[in-house]
Amino acid sequence: MTGNGVTYRNHGENYNSPLSVCLPVSVCLYRSAYSSVCHAVSVHSVFVEYKDFKLIYRQYAALYIVVGVTDSENELSVYELVHNFVEVLDKYFSRVSELDIMFNLDRVHIILDEMIQNGHIVETNRSRILAPLNALDKMADS
Amino acid sequence: MPAPIRLRELIRTIRTARTQAEEREMIQKECAAIRSSFREEDNTYRCRNVAKLLYMHMLGYPAHFGQLECLKLIASQKFTDKRIGYLGAMLLLDERQDVHLLMTNCIKNDLNHSTQYVQGLALCTLGCMGSSEMCRDLAGEVEKLLKTSNSYLRKKAALCAVHVIRKVPELMEMFLPATKNLLSEKNHGVLHTSVVLLTEMCERSPDMLAHFRKLVPQLVRILKNLIMSGYSPEHDVSGISDPFLQVRILRLLRILGRSDDDSSEAMNDILAQVATNTETSKNVGNAILYETVLTIMDIKSESGLRVLAINILGRFLLNNDKNIRYVALTSLLKTVQTDHNAVQRHRSTIVDCLKDLDVSIKRRAMELSFALVNGNNIRGMMKELLYFLDSCDPEFKADCASGVFLAAEKYAPSKRWHIDTIMRVLTTAGSYVRDDSVPNLIQLITNSVEMHAYTVQRLYKALLDDISQQPLVQVASWCIGEYGDLLVSGQCEEEEPIQVTEDEVLDVLEGLLVSNLSTPVTRGYSLTAIMKLSTRFSSVNRIKKVVSIYGSSIDVELQQRAVEYNALFKKYDHMRPALLERMPIMEKTATNGPTEIVQTNGETEPSVVEAKHPPPVTQPTSQANDLLDLLGGNDVVPVIQTTMPTKPASAGGELLDLLGDLSLSGGPAPAPAPSVPTSQPSFLLDGLSSQPLFNDIAAAAIPPMTAYNKNGLKIDFTFERANPNPNIAVITIHASNSTEADMTDFVFQAAVPKTFQLQLLSPSSNVVPALNQGTVTQVIRVLNPQKQQLRMRIKLTYTLKGSPVQDLAEVNNFPPQSWQ
């Protein structure tokens, strides 16, 4: 089961709300910084163990996406999921950058809710995920 | 009041803040504005305000005052309001707040809304944060939606059902009929969530598991279609169609096939197909292969398939991608118990991973390496592991050191190798080893008699180099104390002997005493070592001086030791050589072996008042006994367990009769213990006979006495004081027979007055040989807390020349020292 996790600084671990991951996030950032400075190929693995679950992070330029999963989850599959998520964002915002995410948090939330519900994958098909959002946009315009 | 600013404005403003304080100020101002706006009950801008509140919540500021506003938004008719309301509910509310129950009605209405998006919203929220009451109320609605034809709603309803089942497991049966047609879906979204629902049901209830086993062929078919189908633009990820669904199906197959032969057999083909056909150039393919490997390992697959799985993992290990290596190491760790030989083939790759830069990979590789160590590869593996220990981070050192010790203990090819390895660990990672490694090492050294000279020489040299690592220093000072004479006489065969004088050795030990780096424990070790050398070296005066100096040390422990050693020099000089003699071989135990008689040594701690308790010499290969615990080197509590005397049942009853008129205590209560093996009887005798010195000392303290002498049977008592309890007198009876015939079935019983407690250990045998050819011995322990005069009634039964003999006697002539 995955927890929602776009990198936030959030405290208070509510059940199923974004995880508070300050310490391990800094670990991830340190690792990526080290590898980007020293090597072209990533030196570190992107899996971190934190307390009793695992963190999988992925870096896209200045944006880090960290996902926390329980022990039973397939880490490589979650890695792919993160990429899928970014591709969906890419399609919606056309060449997404972190500013897009910052200023359109509510829409990002809608997309995330369409993709992952309560820690399970709902839909991975890009067009189907974006269908409600497009309908919403049309309603807002008209 | 002016219109509240939009969310974007707020974000922009906050991003211009340059310090944390500025940001806090802005947030607080905005919070105040939002609060007053909420108080005004303004419908138009509520949505905007709550959106801002959620943003501030994300940044970490308190936002609980918005909870009720979220509820109001949910109740509104506008979709945008509902959207933000539900989002706020998911972020701000959970079961612990009472407010969330108010949502139940809103959700119920929205589940029946005409617009699918609203229904979807409600399902999503219920599925994320519904409490058990809410779930119970709304489960029916969810089930209805599970059966609708709208695939958008069905997938969400399936996941909502998962949540309901998690919260209220009893409702599982309710969803069972809806699951009938789930797998015949075309829509992958619904298919995916259905598989999740099935997985959840199977994990929760074994009945469901059995029920759903019949779905295995269907699942296999779906998986096959996914693999075989050509390019499908809808679900394609880097050339593989819907990897997420494949992974999920594989996981469900794993659960279904676990411990079930038929299902496992049905899956074998498809698993082999997936394993061979999936492309491994991209991460996607590797993800699927990983899941396949996990499934193969978990179900009852045939051996060919298992070998295939391990080979895949081996291939992963050689991959350049760190993630894949990490994943491979993790799975190999899980399988190393079951498929040990197969994993051994990849040992060299695993050992290479120890040199990797990534922390997670190093840790996994270390754990796996320890699991792979066996008698054949111990030398090579240990070399690698020691090299790893040298260069690894401190966080690994403790675990690595303990692992090395364990492995060396189990598989050491020779004693010298074992000692060398442990010394290497102590010198490189000495400060990180666990506390019990010091006594373990001391015991190991004591037991390898032929290596004493070599060991003490190496330890001495290590001590000259570096005195900062406390465990090493402790072991070294202990050894020098014990075997200092070997060091000075230069007797080492294994290595080039070094020339060391007594003064140099004493210099080193005194250096330890004064050094800042030594802990109090280490100081204690070195003081005792210096003391022991007084019997082994000739420069006693120097030692006397050192010991007397520390008699006024601030450290209480050192002071006590020094004072006692001083007393040893002054008043008890005649006992000193015996007390400080060489330690005998100690028994080693398997930690889970049954314990039989356990006798541990007191360390050569001279207690001024009492005489020494004789340590027995045991056969090293005989029974399993407890590991000797030399905490701090000096605080050993000798533990003596009793075994049952040969006739336990009768003992109590007869003794009660025996003692009836003396109004004594109800006889000794022998502690139940496993039966004594036949090698035991000579135990004590061996111990006593090989340490005559101790006997003399013991006897010298308290004179022996004859307790009974009649009809050719003579019973002598000899006494010692047990260490450390001065109230316990240990009496050994020696029964001898001067008649011409053997006395068979000899049983000795004793009883004492109420204020005493008695413990009877098992006798050496129950045949007293004729004509004084041998004696039967038995140990009695008497606890005498009130220091009253010791009295005892004894009862003897034996068979002489075929006729049974019984006798009672009272023993009153105990020497005063035995009970004072």
Side-chain angles (χ1 to χ4, degrees), chain B residues 84-106:
Chain B
I84 300 285
Y86 276 121
L87 183 62
M90 278 194 276
L91 289 178
L92 297 178
L93 287 176
D94 59 38
E95 326 193 318
R96 288 173 285 180
Q97 273 86 29
D98 302 321
V99 183
H100 79 281
L101 282 172
L102 297 172
M103 276 200 316
T104 318
N105 209 23
C106 287

Side-chain angles (χ1 to χ4, degrees), chain B residues 634-656:
Chain B
N634 283 309
D635 308 320
V636 182
V637 178
V639 173
I640 300 185
Q641 286 179 4
T642 58
T643 57
M644 258 188 301
T646 42
K647 290 196 190 138
S650 48
E654 286 172 5
L655 281 166
L656 277 174

